[in-house]
C-alpha cells in the first residue's frame, strides 16, 4: 500500500468521484495511461468521454475516432482500493491487482488507451453503473482488442508462456513437448491459481472481443496461441459428475475452464441447446465468482442477447439492469423470466438440497450464490402423465410471488420410510421396456447427461441413491385425492413419493400447468404456499 495517512486516504477516496462528468445514453469513458520509461514511476492517467457508435467510438462531440483496448481482469481476493494512481491530476485509488496490471501494461514510449470498469465507471453512482453495465458487451465488442490480465506470474507461468509463443501456431510440432508431465501440471496450476478463470464476467468479455491478448506479468501471448496449446495440455474432461460435490476445487476448476471455452465459441450451440440458453447460461454463473451477487445475472445478459438474436433475443422483456435492486429481486426476476421465455416450468423441476437456499429468497427462487448439486432427471419412467397446459405468465412486479395453476393430487400422510418396514420396490420389467428410454440425470449448467451403469431397476436405484445423498431426498407416504391418479385403487395399491427432506405430513402434492413432474407445496396464510420442489411418485400393488 502507498505510504499515506489512513485518514488522508479515506478523504481521497471520497473525493475521487470529482474526476467524473455525467454521461449520455450511448457514452462511456476511456482511460489514457501516459507512457513512462521508468516502470516504478507514478501512474498518470486522464479520463475522457467517448460516443459509442456502430463503427466504434469517437471522442465525445466530434468525429475523431477513439481507438482503445478493453481490460479483462479480476478485482482479486482483495478488491478494496489499496494502491494509488493519478487520474485527471487527482489521487485515485485502485485494487492491488489492477495497479500491478497498469504497471506492466503501461507503454514505454507512447500512451495507451484502455477501458477499465473500476475507473471508467463511477462505481458510487448506481444509476450510471446500471446503464454502463448494460453497454458492456458493446464496449468490449467495439474495442480493437481485449487485453486479459491474469496477474503476476507464479510457479511455472514463464515456461508455460514460452510454450504458448513457441508452439501456439497451427501446424507447429506440438507433440515435441505435450507429453511432458511438467507442462500439463503447469497448465492445470494456471487455471487453478489464476482468479481470472473463476470470474463470471470473462465469458462475455472474451466472447465479444474481436481480438484477445493475454498478459501474465511481463509474459504475453495471443488468445489463439493460448487456446491452441491448452487444447493439447488439457483436453476436454468429463465435468458432469452427479456423485461429486461441485465445490471440490479440482472439479470446479475443470468445470469453469471447460465451460468457459465452450462459451467463448457460442456458435457451437445448436438446436435444443439454443432454446435453453437463457436458463443454462445464468445457472452456470453459480460456478463463477462475482464481487456483487447481482452480477451472476447481469454479467451474461449481453452474451445471451448476442447468442439468441437470430432466434429471438431471450433478454427481451427482462427488467433493466438496476443495481439498486436487492439480490433477491434480481434472482426472482431470473426465474420468472425463465418461465416466461420457455413457457413451461422446467426451471422448477430441479432436485437439490433445499435447505441451502438463503433466507432472503422466496422458497421457489434459485440461489445462484450457492454452487451446489442441482440435477434434472430424464423423465422416462418418472414422467407424470397428465394433461399439459402453459403456466401463467409471471409478473416481475409481484415481489415474492410466483403464480401457479393446477390441481391437487394428494396429501403427504406419513414421513416414515416405507422401505424400513420391509416393503420392496421394483418396477415391472415390461413397463420399463415400454415406458423408459433410459434412466438418467441431466446437468443444469450444460447439456451433459449421466447414465447409470445398469438400466432397469438397478439403474433407477442408483439414481435414487444420488438424489438421496446429494439432494437429501426421502420417501414419504402419499394419500391420493379421489381418482386423480389413473388406475389407483386404495384397496389394491399403495402410493409413495420421493421428496425433499423438508417435507412433512400435511403438505400437499399438485400437478401444475407447464410441468412434467408433480410439486410439493406447504399451505400458508392468505392462500399462499411454500414451494418444496419436485417429487417422484410410485404407485405399487399390495401383494397379499
Amino acid at each position: 500500500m502507498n505510504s499515506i495517512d489512513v485518514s488522508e486516504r479515506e478523504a481521497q477516496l471520497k473525493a475521487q468521484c470529482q474526476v467524473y462528468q455525467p454521461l449520455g445514453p450511448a457514452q462511456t469513458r476511456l482511460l489514457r495511461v501516459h507512457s513512462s520509461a521508468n516502470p516504478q514511476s507514478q501512474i498518470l492517467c486522464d479520463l475522457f468521454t467517448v460516443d459509442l457508435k456502430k463503427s466504434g467510438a469517437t471522442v465525445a462531440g466530434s468525429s475523431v475516432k477513439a481507438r482503445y483496448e478493453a481490460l479483462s481482469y479480476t478485482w482479486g481476493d482483495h478488491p478494496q482500493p489499496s494502491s494509488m494512481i493519478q487520474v485527471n491530476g487527482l489521487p485515485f485509488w485502485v485494487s492491488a491487482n489492477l495497479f500491478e496490471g497498469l504497471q506492466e501494461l503501461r507503454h514505454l514510449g507512447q500512451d495507451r488507451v484502455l477501458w477499465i470498469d473500476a475507473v471508467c465507471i463511477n462505481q458510487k453512482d448506481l444509476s450510471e453503473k446500471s446503464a454502463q453495465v448494460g453497454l458492456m458487451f458493446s464496449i468490449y465488442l467495439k474495442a480493437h482488442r481485449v487485453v486479459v490480465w491474469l496477474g503476476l506470474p507464479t510457479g511455472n507461468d514463464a515456461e508455460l508462456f514460452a510454450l504458448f509463443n513457441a508452439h501456439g501456431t497451427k501446424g507447429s510440432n506440438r507433440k515435441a513437448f505435450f507429453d511432458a508431465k511438467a507442462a500439463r501440471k503447469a497448465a492445470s496450476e494456471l487455471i487453478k491459481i489464476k482468479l481470472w478463470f473463476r470470474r463470471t464476467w470473462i465469458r462475455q468479455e472474451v466472447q465479444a472481443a474481436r481480438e484477445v491478448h493475454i498478459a501474465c506479468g511481463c509474459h504475453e501471448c495471443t488468445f489463439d496461441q493460448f487456446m491452441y496449446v491448452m487444447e493439447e495440455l488439457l483436453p476436454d474432461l468429463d465435468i458432469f459428475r452427479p456423485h461429486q460435490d461441485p465445490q471440490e476445487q479440482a472439479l470446479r476448476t475443470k468445470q469453469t475452464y471447460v465451460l468457459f471455452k465452450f462459451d467463448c465459441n457460442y456458435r457451437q450451440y445448436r438446436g435444443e441447446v439454443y432454446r435453453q440458453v437463457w436458463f443454462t447460461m445464468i445457472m452456470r454463473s453459480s460456478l463463477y465468482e462475482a464481487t456483487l451477487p447481482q452480477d451472476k445475472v447481469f454479467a451474461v445478459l449481453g452474451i445471451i442477447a448476442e447468442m439468441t438474436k437470430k432466434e429471438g433475443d431471450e433478454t427481451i422483456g427482462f427488467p433493466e439492469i438496476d443495481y439498486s435492486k436487492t439480490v433477491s429481486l434480481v434472482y426472482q426476476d431470473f426465474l420468472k423470466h425463465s418461465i416466461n421465455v420457455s413457457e413451461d416450468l422446467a426451471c422448477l423441476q430441479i432436485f437439490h438440497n433445499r435447505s441451502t437456499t438463503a433466507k432472503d429468497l422466496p422458497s421457489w427462487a434459485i440461489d445462484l450464490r450457492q454452487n451446489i448439486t442441482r440435477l434434472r432427471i430424464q423423465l422416462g419412467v418418472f414422467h407424470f402423465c397428465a394433461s399439459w397446459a402453459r403456466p401463467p405468465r409471471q409478473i416481475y412486479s409481484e415481489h415474492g410471488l410466483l403464480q401457479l395453476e393446477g390441481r391437487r393430487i394428494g396429501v403427504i400422510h406419513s414421513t416414515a420410510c416405507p422401505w424400513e418396514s420391509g416393503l420392496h420396490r421394483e418396477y415391472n420389467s415390461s413397463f420399463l421396456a415400454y415406458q423408459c428410454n433410459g434412466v438418467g440425470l441431466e446437468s443444469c449448467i450444460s447439456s451433459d447427461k449421466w447414465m447409470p451403469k445398469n438400466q432397469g431397476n438397478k439403474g433407477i436405484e442408483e439414481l435414487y441413491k444420488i438424489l438421496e445423498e446429494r439432494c437429501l431426498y426421502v420417501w414419504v407416504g402419499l394419500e391420493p385425492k379421489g381418482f386423480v391418479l389413473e388406475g389407483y385403487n386404495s384397496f389394491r395399491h399403495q402410493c409413495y413419493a420421493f421428496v425433499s427432506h423438508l417435507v412433512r405430513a400435511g403438505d400437499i402434492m399438485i400437478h401444475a400447468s407447464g410441468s412434467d413432474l408433480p410439486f410439493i407445496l406447504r399451505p400458508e396464510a392468505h392462500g399462499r404456499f411454500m414451494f418444496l420442489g419436485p417429487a417422484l411418485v410410485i404407485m405399487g400393488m399390495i401383494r397379499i
Side-chain angles (χ1 to χ4, degrees):
M1 180 185 289
N2 301 65
S3 179
I4 190 170
D5 181 76
V6 174
S7 60
E8 184 180 351
R9 173 176 171 270
E10 291 301 318
Q12 291 176 353
L13 278 167
K14 291 179 180 178
Q16 69 186 35
C17 63
Q18 295 175 24
V19 304
Y20 299 112
Q21 296 298 319
L23 293 173
Q27 289 184 328
T28 191
R29 303 182 188 94
L30 297 179
L31 185 72
R32 182 183 290 108
V33 183
H34 294 288
S35 62
S36 175
N38 179 7
Q40 298 305 315
S41 66
Q42 186 177 21
I43 298 171
L44 305 177
C45 311
D46 292 318
L47 270 179
F48 63 98
T49 303
V50 295
D51 297 320
L52 296 172
K53 299 182 177 180
K54 285 185 178 181
S55 57
T58 59
V59 176
S62 76
S63 59
V64 178
K65 289 189 176 181
R67 184 177 169 88
Y68 68 95
E69 299 168 286
L71 188 66
S72 178
Y73 72 109
T74 175
W75 288 22
D77 278 336
H78 306 287
Q80 297 79 12
S82 59
S83 302
M84 188 178 70
I85 63 174
Q86 192 178 97
V87 178
N88 291 359
L90 294 174
F92 196 100
W93 291 79
V94 298
S95 68
N97 185 50
L98 177 54
F99 183 80
E100 291 164 351
L102 289 172
Q103 280 188 315
E104 290 290 346
L105 297 173
R106 178 172 54 172
H107 288 322
L108 296 178
Q110 65 180 31
D111 296 348
R112 191 168 193 173
V113 179
L114 298 169
W115 187 89
I116 305 172
D117 62 345
V119 183
C120 296
I121 299 175
N122 183 353
Q123 300 291 330
K124 300 293 185 182
D125 185 338
L126 293 184
S127 178
E128 177 182 299
K129 184 174 180 178
S130 299
Q132 288 289 291
V133 167
L135 294 172
M136 277 181 65
F137 190 88
S138 178
I139 291 170
Y140 279 84
L141 180 68
K142 295 178 190 304
H144 82 86
R145 183 166 68 173
V146 169
V147 178
V148 172
W149 170 249
L150 294 181
L152 297 177
T154 54
N156 295 315
D157 290 348
E159 291 81 357
L160 194 58
F161 271 78
L163 294 181
F164 295 151
N165 285 285
H167 301 278
T169 305
K170 290 184 179 180
S172 64
N173 181 16
R174 297 183 292 178
K175 297 299 181 184
F177 66 90
F178 281 147
D179 291 333
K181 290 183 179 179
R184 298 188 187 279
K185 182 178 179 181
S188 296
E189 288 297 306
L190 181 76
I191 64 172
K192 176 182 176 182
I193 293 174
K194 301 303 180 191
L195 298 180
W196 183 81
F197 290 100
R198 304 181 213 165
R199 180 171 169 265
T200 194
W201 283 100
I202 65 174
R203 297 175 285 164
Q204 175 166 282
E205 294 165 355
V206 173
Q207 200 257 46
R210 301 178 188 178
E211 178 187 335
V212 181
H213 198 77
I214 299 179
C216 180
C218 62
H219 310 294
E220 298 184 4
C221 70
T222 68
F223 188 72
D224 288 342
Q225 289 173 322
F226 171 84
M227 294 301 294
Y228 190 63
V229 172
M230 291 291 281
E231 280 293 330
E232 287 292 335
L233 291 177
L234 298 177
D236 280 356
L237 304 163
D238 175 21
I239 61 169
F240 183 42
R241 301 178 182 178
H243 303 81
Q244 263 184 275
D245 183 350
Q247 295 188 43
E248 290 180 13
Q249 187 176 20
L251 177 59
R252 186 175 184 177
T253 298
K254 293 173 185 175
Q255 287 179 326
T256 52
Y257 177 67
V258 170
L259 293 173
F260 158 70
K261 289 194 304 176
F262 195 64
D263 290 340
C264 286
N265 185 7
Y266 71 91
R267 293 169 185 82
Q268 296 180 58
Y269 285 79
R270 293 291 183 270
E272 272 306 307
V273 181
Y274 250 119
R275 289 188 282 276
Q276 301 170 13
V277 165
W278 167 267
F279 185 71
T280 304
M281 287 293 292
I282 296 181
M283 286 297 294
R284 197 170 289 173
S285 294
S286 63
L287 279 175
Y288 293 89
E289 296 174 358
T291 304
L292 297 175
Q294 293 93 326
D295 284 339
K296 299 275 189 170
V297 176
F298 295 159
V300 288
L301 294 181
I303 190 173
I304 293 172
E306 179 69 16
M307 292 169 67
T308 61
K309 64 183 180 182
K310 291 183 179 178
E311 305 289 326
D313 183 353
E314 291 192 348
T315 64
I316 292 176
F318 186 73
E320 290 186 357
I321 293 172
D322 183 356
Y323 280 96
S324 68
K325 277 188 171 182
T326 64
V327 176
S328 177
L329 291 181
V330 174
Y331 289 3
Q332 289 178 49
D333 288 345
F334 155 59
L335 192 127
K336 288 183 176 183
H337 195 68
S338 299
I339 295 173
N340 290 344
V341 166
S342 65
E343 297 187 316
D344 62 35
L345 298 181
C347 60
L348 295 177
Q349 296 174 188
I350 296 176
F351 293 78
H352 65 92
N353 177 0
R354 306 199 69 82
S355 61
T356 59
T357 301
K359 300 300 182 184
D360 62 332
L361 297 179
S363 58
W364 45 267
I366 296 173
D367 194 347
L368 297 169
R369 295 166 295 192
Q370 304 287 335
N371 178 31
I372 60 172
T373 299
R374 293 186 177 96
L375 302 169
R376 291 186 287 200
I377 62 169
Q378 288 184 232
L379 294 171
V381 69
F382 301 116
H383 186 274
F384 191 76
C385 296
S387 58
W388 196 94
R390 288 187 179 89
R393 189 160 186 83
Q394 304 303 317
I395 301 172
Y396 302 104
S397 60
E398 292 184 342
H399 301 158
L401 293 179
L402 193 73
Q403 299 286 347
L404 296 181
E405 293 177 351
R407 60 176 180 170
R408 186 177 301 204
I409 295 172
V411 62
I412 306 302
H413 68 79
S414 171
T415 56
C417 180
W419 320 120
E420 291 179 356
S421 61
L423 286 178
H424 176 67
R425 62 176 184 262
E426 183 176 297
Y427 282 91
N428 181 283
S429 58
S430 61
F431 173 75
L432 285 175
Y434 172 75
Q435 193 76 6
C436 186
N437 295 323
V439 174
L441 296 168
E442 299 177 356
S443 170
C444 290
I445 61 173
S446 70
S447 58
D448 293 318
K449 298 180 180 180
W450 170 89
M451 303 292 285
K453 293 179 181 178
N454 303 290
Q455 284 298 310
N457 279 291
K458 288 185 177 180
I460 293 173
E461 291 300 322
E462 194 174 346
L463 182 145
Y464 287 153
K465 185 176 181 180
I466 293 173
L467 296 181
E468 286 172 347
E469 294 178 353
R470 301 299 316 151
C471 305
L472 301 190
Y473 261 58
V474 297
W475 289 97
V476 297
L478 174 69
E479 182 180 336
K481 178 186 176 184
F483 298 97
V484 172
L485 292 180
E486 185 178 351
Y488 175 75
N489 184 313
S490 59
F491 297 105
R492 300 179 59 236
H493 300 115
Q494 286 181 330
C495 212
Y496 298 103
F498 199 40
V499 299
S500 165
H501 71 294
L502 298 180
V503 170
R504 63 192 185 204
D507 292 339
I508 65 171
M509 177 180 286
I510 68 160
H511 178 256
S513 298
S515 175
D516 294 307
L517 292 174
F519 296 132
I520 303 295
L521 304 179
R522 179 169 298 156
E524 295 185 331
H526 309 298
R528 297 184 180 182
F529 300 85
M530 176 187 290
F531 183 78
L532 293 171
L536 303 179
V537 179
I538 287 183
M539 182 176 69
M541 267 302 217
I542 300 175
R543 294 181 179 175
I544 300 175

